[in-house]
Amino acid sequence: MTTSLVPESQLLDLATRALVAGGMRRDDAATAARVLVLADMFGVSTHGVSRIPQYLERVRIGGIDPRAEVTVDHVAPGLARVNGRNGIGPLVGMRALAAAREGAAAVGICAAFVRGSNHFGAIMPYAFLAAQDGFASIIASNATTTIAPWGGRDTRVGNNPLGIGVPHPSGDPIILDIAMSVVARAKIRRLLQKGESMPLGWAAGPDGKPTTDPRAGLAGFLLPIGGHKGYGLAVMVDLLAGLLSGAAYLTHVQAWDKNPGAAQDLGHVFILIDTGKLGASSWLAERMDDFRRILASTPPADPAAPVMVPGERELNAYARAQREGVPVATADLRALESIVERAGNAAPA
Amino acid sequence: MTTSLVPESQLLDLATRALVAGGMRRDDAATAARVLVLADMFGVSTHGVSRIPQYLERVRIGGIDPRAEVTVDHVAPGLARVNGRNGIGPLVGMRALAAAREGAAAVGICAAFVRGSNHFGAIMPYAFLAAQDGFASIIASNATTTIAPWGGRDTRVGNNPLGIGVPHPSGDPIILDIAMSVVARAKIRRLLQKGESMPLGWAAGPDGKPTTDPRAGLAGFLLPIGGHKGYGLAVMVDLLAGLLSGAAYLTHVQAWDKNPGAAQDLGHVFILIDTGKLGASSWLAERMDDFRRILASTPPADPAAPVMVPGERELNAYARAQREGVPVATADLRALESIVERAGNAAPA
């Protein structure tokens, strides 16, 4: 698999044109493309522009409305209800981010509860954009069910992602973006290909019992971090992002892969906090520097692997992508170019 | 170890009088006692009235101020900064809960950032009280450092608790209250006593390497759930609860056990959301019932152990304690009675 290095602006332009070719308005497409390109810059290519063909295939069969007009209802100064109206996920996410930012700028904190959405990409891009404007964030989404309730043997809760970000007024923010399973399915698939066994605790077989057999694990389900703790976190994320948002939750969420033509009605929650109201930026900058220093100076167990702070790897990748271009699988680039060409929409933006 | 069953009101009265004997004002003492008694009712006796002698020993040597006047500064309609002024933790926590509730009732959501606090008990009591009034909550605290940053071999982050609660207008709320380690130290101590080995992943030895030897684990440090994920959650909790609050964070937090005479300057964060502004209570009740039903009806891996929702065990214990009395270790009761008697403060409230 070859990888190309593409300048950020060029990748943004290509992603935007591909989304326009898929039926989005140009402004909406540019907004959504920003989220996906940021994920590629962070090195999270599974949630980058490679998702566009999948999104547009669902558009093609009527599963997503590329021209959805997302609505925002400010039900209280600190609360917004957002209806994605089955639009492209990253567009819905960016509208919710803007709504939460507006409320937080006004009253210090705001939560945007989102329904009628789809896969909105990675959380880190949203938390990063919030941090750039001085906002701390708690962002989460529900997802198709892939995890069994703790002690159960049927997948009834999603591997729901949760992100938390805190800004640094003059340096890198600290951002965590995690899902609730110990590992991703891809990691188990790789063990199966290599004929290796799996550490206990990664997955359970169809009988609900932990297994070291990758094949049984793939037939069963992923196990959550910390057992009942990760299960509990996945449940609470669904309650906030799905149930309170008025979106689908648990088994009501449609699986985009099994039922791509149906609206998923995913739910998200975006909580933004205006840190500028808590103290001066010099105060925050000094504390963030000190905080990072304390963690980074921890003696490492392996001298070759210094201790990192959450998001450090991704923000280093971001800086490198700005300098050298964004790494994208050449096949993914070709797929986008072919979408643009097929639509006869190859004119420059 | 014998256990007594004490009526709720009687335990509240005894705990209040013990705290008054330790120097608290009666109203403040009753407020703090409420948090501790609720923990006992939930079956979390490690965070119940058994903590009072420990709190008061720190008061005695000047480590905690039992007459601290907690201050609340509403810096924005949705943001409060609370200064516990080194008061008894559960009193500070209750003041912060009230501040967050006031803001959330006004603008839909409010975050109270708390500094100058001490051990504030379990999170579940606060989340439960919030839920009783229709508020969803995200509550967290930092703590003395007991966890090493992922890949490090020195404890620089606390086993920081995080709680999330969602109310049910006509039934039990769903509440998660977790710390970030796979297990508590007590569980490792029990294995050592029994001469058994420890599952890999519970703790690392002093060299930072995972170990199955309970003795090495106790000399080293607890491992976080999901490795870098739990480490990341502990870090983000400290950023929100400690750094943004203006409290101590990471290694700046004083250990109450090693340095009981020093102010800990713990930090907490209380985020409350007024669910009444998101939809009618009938809407919420119906969704909560459905949500719980989906999880509870999951086929269990072990037919004798049905699937539960977060907080279910504790809320069942609460209902039992209301009916039958609150289970408290008889030795803990005697300790409280002796505090009251020694202070000559045994008159009924």
Side-chain angles (χ1 to χ4, degrees), chain A residues 4-50:
Chain A
S4 306
L5 290 176
V6 189
E8 178 183 359
S9 61
Q10 194 177 317
L11 188 60
L12 265 173
D13 182 57
L14 176 61
T16 302
R17 285 190 289 145
L19 289 167
V20 168
M24 289 188 86
R25 284 178 287 269
R26 182 159 297 270
D27 281 0
D28 290 353
T31 299
R34 184 98 192 90
V35 176
L36 300 171
V37 169
L38 275 172
D40 280 313
M41 295 180 79
F42 294 142
V44 190
S45 60
T46 51
H47 290 62
V49 299
S50 67

Side-chain angles (χ1 to χ4, degrees), chain A residues 78 81 107 109 149 151-153 156 164 174 179 181 229 231 236 242-243 246-247 249 252 287 290 294 297-301 308, chain B residues 78 107 109 149 151 153 156 164 174 179 181 229 231 236 242-243 246-247 249 252 278 287 290 294 297-301 308:
Chain A
R81 298 191 80 204
V107 296
I109 184 171
R153 51 182 171 83
R156 299 208 172 182
I164 304 176
I174 299 183
S181 64
K229 296 188 178 188
Y231 158 59
M236 299 319 297
L243 186 138
Y249 49 79
H252 296 310
R287 289 169 77 84
D290 180 51
I294 293 170
S297 64
T298 312
M308 301 181 92
Chain B
V107 297
I109 183 171
R153 51 184 172 83
R156 301 208 170 180
I164 304 176
I174 299 182
S181 64
K229 296 187 179 189
Y231 158 60
M236 300 320 296
L243 187 138
Y249 49 79
H252 296 311
L278 293 172
R287 289 169 77 84
D290 179 52
I294 292 171
S297 64
T298 312
M308 301 182 91

Side-chain angles (χ1 to χ4, degrees), chain B residues 152-245:
Chain B
R153 51 184 172 83
D154 186 12
T155 58
R156 301 208 170 180
V157 64
N159 193 1
N160 300 332
L162 168 67
I164 304 176
V166 173
H168 184 314
S170 53
D172 277 348
I174 299 182
I175 301 176
L176 179 76
D177 176 3
I178 57 169
M180 298 310 163
S181 64
V182 176
V183 294
R185 287 176 70 85
K187 212 159 170 179
I188 301 178
R189 252 183 248 115
R190 248 172 280 145
L191 288 184
L192 179 64
Q193 282 157 6
K194 292 196 276 180
E196 292 177 13
S197 74
M198 190 171 63
L200 207 61
W202 282 19
D207 59 355
K209 305 270 163 66
T211 176
T212 58
D213 174 8
R215 195 177 307 271
L218 289 169
F221 40 83
L222 299 174
L223 286 173
I225 56 172
H228 68 96
K229 296 187 179 189
Y231 158 60
L233 283 170
V235 164
M236 300 320 296
V237 163
D238 203 351
L239 285 168
L240 294 174
L243 187 138
L244 285 183
S245 291

